[in-house]
Amino acid sequence: MNAPSASGDLEGEKDYKVPWYQRKHPILRRYVIATLAFFGFWNIYALRVNLSVAVVAMTTNYSISVPGSNVTTYRQDFDWDLPTRGLLLSSFFYGYIVTQIPGGWLATRLGGGARVYGIGVAATAILTLLTPPIAYGSLTMLFILRIVEGFFEGVTFPAIHAVWSRWAPPLERSRLATIAFSGSYFGTVISLPLSSLLANAFGWESIFYVFGVIGLIWFSLWWWLVYESPELDPRISKEELVYIQESLGGNRAAERHHPWRKFLTSLPVWSIVVAHFSENWGFYTLLTQLPTFMKDTLEFDLNKAGFLSALPYLVMTIVLQMAGYLADYLRALSLTVKRGNTVAYILSTTGVRKIFNCGAFLSQTIFMLLAAHSPSAGGAIAGLTLAVGLGGFAWSGFSVNHLDIAPQHASVLMGLSNTVATLPGIISPAITGYIVQNKTAAEWKIVFYISSIIYLLGAVFYGTFASGELQPWAQVEEGAPKSDGRGEDGKNGKDAENGLCYTNEVIDERL
């Protein structure tokens, strides 16, 4: 990777051509941030999903011996029915939905989103530590606690897009974003089985104490190591700083004015919103209900249910990493047309986003239906694993698309799409709780049908209206590059360096 110097020459090129372990500054700060963001989302989802396993242990009968006698009795800590449990699991999203758009707005107002992101995780960790005593005290207070947790965690996804608008070069957007987002699913992979082990070994209370402490440890590292922008980071190398500055251009500062009417009337924006909603419907349905489905319908014990519930998210973690690199590779593929040495792109950004998103949704529709009709527990698990896991490709479509169409508004647009995409977290568990009254396979089949239909509708809408190009209403008026960055003769010129952030048609050949 070659880094241009501030004067336009290639003074930093040598440092990027040698192997990473021989470089003067081998650690790229943007990948340090991506790695820490990965563990940040690990914590976010561990803190979010641990109740899905804990609630099973909290409502399961267990034996106790009466002191001084040979008598054994059975008791349960909480006698919540299935609809109550479903409402409790969904209560987190009542707060989560409120702070999506304000979180994106706040991230741009406060400089870059890093501090907002860190505080959101830390506050959620502190509230998680308070969960056991509050649960014993009052069910109503537990509902309120979960709502407040969601309130703080709601700022995290919009805030991280504000971070990437300052730190992510355009041709690394997919990989940096998916490195971070894959932490969500890896957090699910770890937290579901670990929660089962903790519940069996130390009681369900330990689930909240362990994950709460881990969240606070992460926050201390994030606060110490991450800065709002490359210019503020004292640890960044000169070569990386210049590379980020010139690849993003001179108009990287987030705009304070957001054209809300344009947002709400833009079909490319709504295609992201619909895709985000569709992906989250299937994801949240299984995220909150899969342990219950495996225990009550497939008759796995709590320990096995926790491990098998994590399997789809392990697949998704792996797929997300592959998809991010593949999407950036396909975006960068180009060929030189003989006439005038014009650079043409084999796949446009729009094409890459649609292929990844729609291909994932269609595959998820098929495997969700196969899971619904599987005659065996193994077949159902395999179908659900692939249905969730292949969603990793969709995240290299819609989740990065905000940065394509309006990079300076990306955090607010993520807040908008994630607001609508939070509705499945509220609606889906409640609907599942009322459909699955008798815990039969036929009732769960209805739940899987609903998810399949939503995936299919999402694929059709995104495939029809999505775009990967900078939208006219996202043009920066002052100092924005007016050309496509290639110069009048069709070759990459100086505008390519200054305008790369605001057009997906330009590729800096020094990459």
Side-chain angles (χ1 to χ4, degrees), residues 85-96:
R85 287 154 60 181
L87 289 172
L88 182 60
L89 290 171
S90 66
S91 62
F92 170 91
F93 299 99
Y94 300 149
Y96 188 75

Side-chain angles (χ1 to χ4, degrees), residues 346-427:
I346 296 173
L347 277 175
S348 66
T349 302
T350 302
V352 170
R353 301 299 182 221
K354 287 185 177 183
I355 288 171
F356 275 70
N357 199 91
C358 298
F361 280 7
L362 293 174
S363 299
Q364 289 177 287
T365 300
I366 293 169
F367 285 109
M368 190 70 80
L369 290 174
L370 290 176
H373 290 276
S374 175
S376 66
I381 296 299
L384 294 175
T385 297
L386 290 171
V388 173
L390 292 174
F393 286 103
W395 278 84
S396 287
F398 73 85
S399 75
V400 194
N401 208 179
H402 316 78
L403 290 160
D404 298 325
I405 65 173
Q408 72 274 39
H409 304 297
S411 61
V412 174
L413 290 177
M414 172 57 91
L416 175 62
S417 72
N418 213 22
T419 297
V420 178
T422 300
L423 293 174
I426 299 172
I427 301 169

Side-chain angles (χ1 to χ4, degrees), residues 33 363 457:
I33 293 173
S363 299
L457 293 175

